[in-house]
Amino acid sequence: TVRLEKAEVPSASQATSASDKIVLVKPRDEATLTSNDVEFEATISFDSDKSCSLLMADKDSAWFAEMSKIEGVSSGNITFSEKVDEGEYRWQISCGDESSEIRKLKISPSVTTTSFSIEGTIDAGDLRRKIDDAHNNLDNLDVNARRAADAIDLRETLRVALRDYERILRDINSLYLRRDLSAEQKEERLLDYKVLVEELEKSTPLLLEVRDSEEFVVYPSKDNLQEIVDEYVAQRNLQGRVDIRKLEDLQNNIRVRTYAALISVTYINGEKKDYTLINKNVEYTSETTRHHFLLESIPESMSDNLVVLQTHDVLKRAELLRFEKPDVITYYADGHQSLDDAKKAHTLLVSESVVSSRSSSSSIPSFTGLVTSVSTDIDATTGLIILLIILILAYLLYAFDVKDKVLDLFLSSRKNKKLKELRLLINDSKDYLDAQNLERGNLIYKEIKLVYEKAPRSVKNEVFKEIEELVKVLNEKYLEYLISKTRDSLKDGAKSSLGIYNKLVEVFNKSEVDTQATFKEQIISLGDEVKKNG
């Protein structure tokens, strides 16, 4: 069993403490040997018996592998005898919680052994540098490109790429220390890892650019509704007809805002690809239930090689998809399609009830036999008892305000639910603003407005101040962003600086008085620079 562990470089005090108890004898530091048979010696001194291990790693790796172990030693000399392949290594001896200094060792080429080396075959260090460059590029994207990057969750893609890189590098370095593999087998494994690295370079974005984009809300026509649900009925082999009026009414319970963008992605291997990105934010009213679902109708021109990020069912190739009420729908297709085609991608709210059952001649006829009559006469005594019970219940409702209490309890529960929902959204928006993600913070604020408008008056009164404060922070963050963009355009001598500055002034005029006081001097100063720039 091979144990891998990541070695931390000890501090000066730790190194002194360890060297007092584990003193390495040989090989010496920076030793170069021509023999593959190596003896690693150390002198140890402990108060109780410990297990001591020889740890080795490739010279460029932080991952150490346990080569062998000696149990139950407390003092004296210990020796580990190992056969080591050619290459450059780092090694140390570890006993319990104590570790020795780290020494370097090189086994030079020998005519009696078969060499194995990854040098020049895989430049893993270059891959790591490019992943770091991709992170830097992501941090420097403008608002529009950042929105596209957030839609495809590019930051998570880079995180996974870095994780996979570290795993591949760890596995490559451990090949040096595998005694169960011959040199030929190691070379075969190395080729497999090389393929993995190439795939990682091919699938990891280095740079993202937005060529064109548009945001819009499109409502499907009656013909669109009929056509899409008819296709759904056909694909599911349902026996029924579409209740088009009910279907039209359902669409009042949904609002879909679409962000469409033509993006170009350059990958780490240098390959560049164009995509058409569709990102939809879906808002529902409280009238929707778990029995509702979404149908996404995609134009045929965009259905080739479609990648959909959310869980879905495919009903007709990639042209008709079903989703279980997600808040976001994101997909992208190869090539730059027309943004007008993106407006033909419709999202419908549907329930199975819009397809009503159709009667059939093969249905079983109802039974029309004799019906035994049942007497519904109530004797006078029973009637008086029922009337008395009704009067007592009416008196209890009146005397103890049961109705009002039940109503108050219901309204209180509803109020608490809305308050919790709004405060959760407010905190989410603040978190994104703290992370300098203005675009996502603003999107969540739009959702806050939707929930706020439908909340009871008592809830509105309770959260009004919190929302007012959030709006203030949003305005300030947006002003800071526009000031930064204006300055950048002035540095580049861009003609667009005037347009950005005019937008800055517009937002400034709509801001609160104390916010205006904070930014007034900066905006006046920028105005003078914009005038000088012509």
Side-chain angles (χ1 to χ4, degrees):
T1 301
V2 176
R3 176 169 64 89
L4 293 176
E5 59 182 50
K6 200 164 187 176
E8 301 292 340
V9 178
S11 63
S13 61
Q14 291 172 322
T16 302
S17 173
S19 63
D20 289 341
K21 298 176 181 179
I22 307 175
V23 180
L24 301 185
V25 178
K26 69 175 186 178
R28 66 184 187 279
D29 197 17
E30 303 284 357
T32 301
L33 305 178
T34 56
S35 171
N36 294 92
D37 295 311
V38 183
E39 289 190 347
F40 300 86
E41 294 184 10
T43 302
I44 63 172
S45 176
F46 292 103
D47 296 331
S48 59
D49 290 351
K50 293 183 180 291
S51 296
C52 295
S53 300
L54 170 65
L55 304 178
M56 293 189 68
D58 173 64
K59 64 172 183 175
D60 295 321
S61 173
W63 291 94
F64 279 70
E66 183 182 74
M67 300 296 293
S68 56
K69 179 186 288 188
I70 300 176
E71 302 282 356
V73 293
S74 60
S75 63
N77 294 328
I78 58 173
T79 302
F80 296 90
S81 298
E82 298 295 325
K83 188 175 182 66
V84 182
D85 289 334
E86 297 164 10
E88 295 183 47
Y89 305 94
R90 294 184 303 134
W91 67 280
Q92 66 177 161
I93 290 176
S94 174
C95 299
D97 296 331
E98 301 286 349
S99 295
S100 71
E101 63 176 311
I102 298 174
R103 286 191 176 183
K104 297 179 181 178
L105 168 67
K106 181 178 181 180
I107 307 296
S108 64
S110 171
V111 295
T112 60
T113 62
T114 303
S115 65
F116 169 72
S117 172
I118 64 170
E119 185 176 356
T121 307
I122 298 178
D123 190 352
D126 185 53
L127 175 57
R128 174 57 190 262
R129 286 190 296 274
K130 288 181 178 178
I131 294 176
D132 289 340
D133 288 343
H135 273 287
N136 293 333
N137 293 336
L138 179 60
D139 292 336
N140 294 323
L141 293 176
D142 60 31
V143 171
N144 196 19
R146 191 178 298 119
R147 181 169 185 180
D150 288 343
I152 61 175
D153 209 355
L154 184 53
R155 194 172 296 278
E156 174 65 10
T157 300
L158 295 180
R159 186 195 69 79
V160 172
L162 184 58
R163 180 203 66 189
D164 291 347
Y165 153 80
E166 290 178 341
R167 288 178 178 176
I168 293 171
L169 185 61
R170 179 197 64 191
D171 292 344
I172 291 174
N173 288 326
S174 69
L175 276 178
Y176 276 110
L177 309 176
R178 292 283 300 273
R179 290 184 162 192
D180 57 323
L181 299 177
S182 65
E184 291 77 12
Q185 289 173 321
K186 291 179 181 180
E187 292 290 349
E188 290 176 3
R189 293 286 181 91
L190 187 61
L191 290 176
D192 293 337
Y193 288 127
K194 185 177 180 182
V195 171
L196 291 177
V197 170
E198 290 173 350
E199 287 297 320
L200 197 57
E201 291 176 335
K202 184 179 179 180
S203 62
T204 305
L206 176 64
L207 184 65
L208 182 147
E209 301 171 89
V210 176
R211 302 297 185 183
D212 193 10
S213 66
E214 189 173 349
E215 188 173 8
F216 49 83
V217 175
V218 175
Y219 296 97
S221 66
K222 184 176 181 179
D223 289 341
N224 294 143
L225 295 174
Q226 186 77 55
E227 181 182 351
I228 294 168
V229 179
D230 280 348
E231 185 63 46
Y232 171 73
V233 169
Q235 294 297 327
R236 284 295 176 93
N237 294 318
L238 300 176
Q239 295 298 317
R241 58 182 177 81
V242 177
D243 187 339
I244 193 66
R245 179 171 295 180
K246 190 171 183 178
L247 184 60
E248 285 182 293
D249 290 341
L250 267 184
Q251 306 318 306
N252 295 325
N253 295 319
I254 188 175
R255 184 172 183 269
V256 182
R257 179 169 291 278
T258 302
Y259 170 73
L262 307 181
I263 64 175
S264 296
V265 178
T266 303
Y267 293 90
I268 283 180
N269 67 346
E271 187 177 3
K272 188 173 183 178
K273 289 186 177 180
D274 295 333
Y275 301 101
T276 300
L277 169 68
I278 304 293
N279 176 239
K280 297 191 172 190
N281 285 281
V282 188
E283 299 171 347
Y284 307 89
T285 69
S286 58
E287 302 298 320
T288 57
T289 70
R290 62 185 179 86
H291 299 292
H292 293 94
F293 57 91
L294 298 183
L295 289 180
E296 183 73 12
S297 175
I298 300 169
E300 187 175 355
S301 60
M302 295 180 58
S303 62
D304 289 339
N305 298 320
L306 194 74
V307 176
V308 184
L309 301 189
Q310 287 76 31
T311 302
H312 64 284
D313 294 326
V314 178
L315 302 174
K316 181 184 179 183
R317 296 194 300 276
E319 296 172 32
L320 186 61
L321 311 177
R322 172 174 169 158
F323 297 85
E324 300 301 326
K325 281 187 64 183
D327 295 326
V328 176
I329 295 176
T330 305
Y331 50 88
Y332 55 89
D334 284 348
H336 284 167
Q337 310 294 333
S338 167
L339 290 180
D340 289 335
D341 281 352
K343 295 178 182 178
K344 298 174 185 176
H346 296 299
T347 306
L348 275 62
L349 182 66
V350 185
S351 70
E352 297 293 354
S353 63
V354 302
V355 183
S356 59
S357 299
R358 179 187 298 162
S359 60
S360 172
S361 59
S362 62
S363 60
I364 300 173
S366 59
F367 179 70
T368 56
L370 296 173
V371 178
T372 305
S373 62
V374 179
S375 174
T376 58
D377 293 337
I378 299 175
D379 59 66
T381 303
T382 305
L384 285 173
I385 293 172
I386 293 173
L387 179 61
L388 182 60
I389 292 172
I390 292 172
L391 290 172
I392 292 172
L393 288 173
Y395 172 77
L396 289 173
L397 288 171
Y398 173 79
F400 297 99
D401 294 327
V402 174
K403 177 184 176 183
D404 291 339
K405 289 179 180 178
V406 171
L407 184 60
D408 288 343
L409 183 63
F410 171 77
L411 292 176
S412 175
S413 174
R414 183 184 173 201
K415 172 185 173 182
N416 291 337
K417 184 178 179 181
K418 283 294 180 185
L419 268 175
K420 184 178 180 181
E421 183 180 5
L422 279 167
R423 285 192 167 131
L424 184 64
L425 289 170
I426 290 169
N427 288 333
D428 283 347
S429 184
K430 287 179 178 178
D431 289 343
Y432 278 114
L433 292 177
D434 289 341
Q436 305 302 316
N437 193 333
L438 176 61
E439 188 70 18
R440 190 60 71 94
N442 186 44
L443 283 174
I444 293 180
Y445 174 69
K446 292 179 180 178
E447 189 174 350
I448 291 171
K449 284 180 63 179
L450 188 72
V451 176
Y452 179 85
E453 288 169 2
K454 297 172 184 175
R457 184 179 296 276
S458 57
V459 173
K460 291 180 179 179
N461 292 339
E462 195 157 343
V463 298
F464 178 79
K465 288 290 184 184
E466 296 173 49
I467 294 177
E468 190 178 47
E469 183 62 27
L470 176 62
V471 172
K472 179 182 175 184
V473 176
L474 275 167
N475 284 339
E476 289 176 353
K477 293 289 185 182
Y478 192 39
L479 284 169
E480 289 172 357
Y481 167 74
L482 290 174
I483 288 171
S484 175
K485 289 291 289 183
T486 305
R487 284 175 176 160
D488 289 343
S489 62
L490 285 169
K491 287 178 184 177
D492 298 334
K495 296 294 184 182
S496 60
S497 58
L498 179 59
I500 300 173
Y501 179 77
N502 288 338
K503 181 66 178 177
L504 172 61
V505 173
E506 179 186 342
V507 176
F508 174 82
N509 290 334
K510 293 179 181 178
S511 301
E512 298 81 3
V513 174
D514 52 347
T515 300
Q516 290 181 349
T518 302
F519 291 93
K520 184 176 180 180
E521 291 184 7
Q522 295 183 61
I523 291 175
I524 292 174
S525 175
L526 271 177
D528 294 336
E529 292 182 47
V530 170
K531 289 178 183 177
K532 291 178 184 177
N533 195 46

